[in-house]
Amino acid sequence: MGLVRVVSQSSESLPRAFFDRPSLEVARDLLGRDVVHREVVVRLTEVEAYAGPDDPASHAYRGVTPRNAVMFGPPGFLYVYFSYGVHWCANVVCGPDGFASAVLLRAGAVVSGLDVARSRRVTARNDAELARGPGRLTSALGLRREHDGADLCRDGAAVRLTAGDPVPDSSVSSGPRVGLTKGVEAPWRLWVTGDATVSPYRPGGRRTGGSPP
DNA sequence: CCATTGATCGTCT
DNA sequence: GACGATCAATGGT
């Protein structure tokens, strides 16, 4: 032969059992994995875990609603929601059916489909910005409301999570989740240390409106 | 580099 | 009627 064997990119979906665990464990193991939708592939560099019904920052904290219903279903499904009237954000549902927990996909590196990703993210100043942030990542992948509830594990799934290139513990950092007003203290944001595609930290809290007359 | 602000609308109170 | 699991543009240091 004489050909060096390169890291093979299996396009096989991670099994549902992968997601049927506590969201913090899933979050840790999602770093370095690939999110695939059509021609674009994003390798995850930053994620956030949202735990069960006791996590005040979780969309599921106040029970089932039409928006968060997918979170209460079985693991391995996509929960996509509309944020700030502008952006879509994508989560992977974790844990057993009926237990609402998820991992927010916050950032990654585009490793395939660069041309398409660039065309969807015309404001990005460089390729590291294409999927740097949850709204940007979702935009680069072309995910929208129609992907809410998508099954990631079914054969032939349109959106998949694949093996990618898992990162060692020595490359994983953790800290507080971004942009929250509740549950700020839990260090459930995980990222690949030093990676250029990791989003900047931004504290939460709503800006106070102007003084009324 | 950092801090501030407008946009924009679905969701829940 | 207020509030976001955000982004991009702007202006200052």
Side-chain angles (χ1 to χ4, degrees):
Chain A
M1 299 197 296
L3 287 181
V4 175
R5 175 155 182 84
V6 185
V7 178
S8 69
Q9 288 200 19
S10 167
S11 62
E12 194 169 322
S13 300
L14 296 173
R16 198 170 308 281
F18 178 93
F19 304 102
D20 193 4
R21 296 183 288 154
S23 57
L24 188 55
E25 286 183 29
V26 177
R28 159 66 186 87
D29 291 341
L30 277 175
L31 292 174
R33 307 293 188 168
D34 288 344
V35 189
V36 183
H37 180 230
R38 297 167 73 91
E39 59 276 278
V40 176
V41 180
V42 170
R43 183 155 293 174
L44 296 173
T45 58
E46 181 190 357
V47 295
E48 277 176 358
Y50 287 83
D54 295 331
D55 180 0
S58 172
H59 285 175
Y61 185 56
R62 304 195 185 266
V64 193
T65 69
R67 175 175 73 155
N68 65 21
V70 176
M71 286 186 76
F72 289 81
F77 287 75
L78 212 54
Y79 164 48
V80 180
Y81 72 95
F82 195 47
S83 175
Y84 286 92
V86 183
H87 308 284
W88 298 95
C89 295
N91 300 250
V92 174
V93 176
C94 301
D97 191 358
F99 186 84
S101 63
V103 174
L104 172 67
L105 308 180
R106 281 202 60 88
V110 176
V111 295
S112 187
L114 262 179
D115 49 348
V116 174
R118 285 172 183 150
S119 73
R120 289 177 176 146
R121 294 270 304 110
V122 293
T123 59
R125 300 170 33 145
N126 54 66
D127 288 345
E129 276 191 356
L130 288 174
R132 187 172 118 171
R136 292 160 164 183
L137 178 148
T138 306
S139 174
L141 279 166
L143 300 178
R144 299 179 172 290
R145 178 183 279 297
E146 64 187 290
H147 301 285
D148 186 37
D151 186 348
L152 301 166
C153 306
R154 165 179 56 84
D155 273 359
V159 187
R160 306 193 298 290
L161 269 150
T162 64
D165 186 20
V167 304
D169 285 344
S170 58
S171 297
V172 177
S173 295
S174 65
R177 295 172 292 183
V178 175
L180 304 180
T181 57
K182 293 168 257 180
V184 177
E185 62 288 346
W188 294 341
R189 174 194 187 210
L190 307 178
W191 67 91
V192 178
T193 309
D195 193 287
T197 66
V198 174
S199 71
Y201 179 77
R202 178 180 53 77
R206 179 166 226 269
R207 299 183 289 272
T208 62
S211 53

